[in-house]
Amino acid sequence: MLKDDAPLPDDVLSHLPGSSPVLNHAAIVDSDRWKEALAERGLPPLQGMLAEGGLVSVSRKDIFDLGDKTLDSDNAFQLLYYSLAWGLGTRASRLHQRLDGLAKNQQMAEKLLVDAWTLVKRKAPVKEAYETLILDRGRARISWLGPAFATKFLYFAQGNEADARHLILDQVVAKNIRPDAWPGSPTAAWFPEIYERYCNLLSAWAKEASEKLSDSREVRADEIEMTLFKRHKWMTQGEQVSAG
């Protein structure tokens, strides 16, 4: 069970990157592959930088900018495409199945995406927005848009918020948080209440980090998430993991 009162791990504090590396965190996307796959399924076409073709670098900041656009169905699809493309990178694992799930009931998907984005913008409880895309037992309402990608959509739907409330949770982060706060964490199908507790914990860790850092800067909660995502790199290099 996730430990709500777990202290910020020392090694996470010492590896915090700052806000610029978070915003510049980018993935290379094969936009031609995406354009072809969307056209085959009659889904709305790509807009913006991915519409230009070729290999394109997409950063978190690029997608946050989409989250600041007018909240409508067209932009909701773009926000989802970019969130997925950034998360999948050039390999784009199971891209066809994911887009098949979206095309299977496009009208329903459109409504769910707009509803979820609306709740994010209204600053509704994290659990409520998550439940719009994920069922009580952690299953996806839109086929192949499970928790790992639903949380990416919710995260980017916040736009350029200084203090992210909805945070990305995937199997890498779930594994890397185990030593300190979530023993035996599942690597998929996170229940809504667990996702909300995870977001609250990382927000608490960001506040704790802000108080501990000598430069007195305000630490973003997504800095904690990105640091946890990359944690295995120094763990595998033999650095000691501290419980805080």
Side-chain angles (χ1 to χ4, degrees):
M1 184 60 69
L2 192 151
K3 301 175 183 177
D4 302 277
D5 58 350
L8 172 69
D10 288 340
D11 69 303
V12 172
L13 176 65
S14 65
H15 285 83
L16 291 175
S19 59
S20 292
V22 174
L23 295 174
N24 294 327
H25 182 200
I28 303 299
V29 177
D30 183 348
S31 63
D32 290 327
R33 183 179 176 190
W34 272 83
K35 288 165 67 176
E36 181 180 351
L38 291 170
E40 286 174 353
R41 290 158 179 81
L43 287 165
L46 286 166
Q47 299 174 15
M49 63 173 64
L50 288 181
E52 298 174 7
L55 296 178
V56 181
S57 176
V58 178
S59 70
R60 293 196 189 208
K61 178 63 167 64
D62 294 327
I63 315 176
F64 280 139
D65 289 344
L66 293 178
D68 282 335
K69 289 199 168 188
T70 302
L71 202 167
D72 59 28
S73 58
D74 289 338
N75 287 334
F77 275 111
Q78 298 304 314
L79 184 61
L80 178 64
Y81 295 160
Y82 276 73
S83 300
L84 284 170
W86 176 83
L88 292 171
T90 50
R91 288 184 60 192
S93 173
R94 297 172 176 165
L95 174 61
H96 292 287
Q97 291 98 319
R98 298 181 198 281
L99 295 183
D100 284 344
L102 194 60
K104 183 178 178 182
N105 193 334
Q106 186 175 325
Q107 275 193 321
M108 181 198 73
E110 176 184 316
K111 183 180 186 308
L112 291 175
L113 293 172
V114 169
D115 286 350
W117 192 2
T118 299
L119 288 169
V120 169
K121 287 301 187 183
R122 289 179 180 172
K123 299 190 182 299
V126 167
K127 179 174 176 283
E128 187 177 346
Y130 182 79
E131 285 176 324
T132 305
L133 299 176
I134 302 297
L135 295 163
D136 285 347
R137 307 302 291 179
R139 293 181 57 241
R141 292 185 186 272
I142 302 171
S143 297
W144 289 91
L145 184 63
F149 285 100
T151 61
K152 289 178 178 65
F153 178 83
L154 296 173
Y155 169 68
F156 288 117
Q158 296 170 113
N160 289 286
E161 290 277 357
D163 184 20
R165 298 170 62 244
H166 305 261
L167 299 165
I168 296 171
L169 177 57
D170 60 21
Q171 64 176 339
V172 176
V173 174
K175 287 179 181 178
N176 289 343
I177 201 174
R178 283 176 181 171
D180 305 282
W182 202 352
S185 61
T187 55
W190 302 287
F191 298 176
E193 60 271 18
I194 288 293
Y195 173 65
E196 185 169 56
R197 289 173 60 191
Y198 159 81
C199 291
N200 289 341
L201 176 64
L202 265 58
S203 294
W205 280 359
K207 183 178 179 181
E208 184 179 345
S210 300
E211 295 169 351
K212 287 184 173 181
L213 289 177
S214 57
D215 59 2
S216 301
R217 71 177 181 84
E218 187 170 341
V219 175
R220 299 167 58 108
D222 51 3
E223 277 186 66
I224 306 290
E225 168 264 310
M226 193 172 95
T227 305
L228 287 169
F229 180 80
K230 295 185 174 184
R231 195 182 198 192
H232 66 283
K233 292 183 178 179
W234 65 82
M235 288 174 69
T236 54
Q237 290 170 356
E239 293 190 32
Q240 181 69 34
V241 177
S242 168

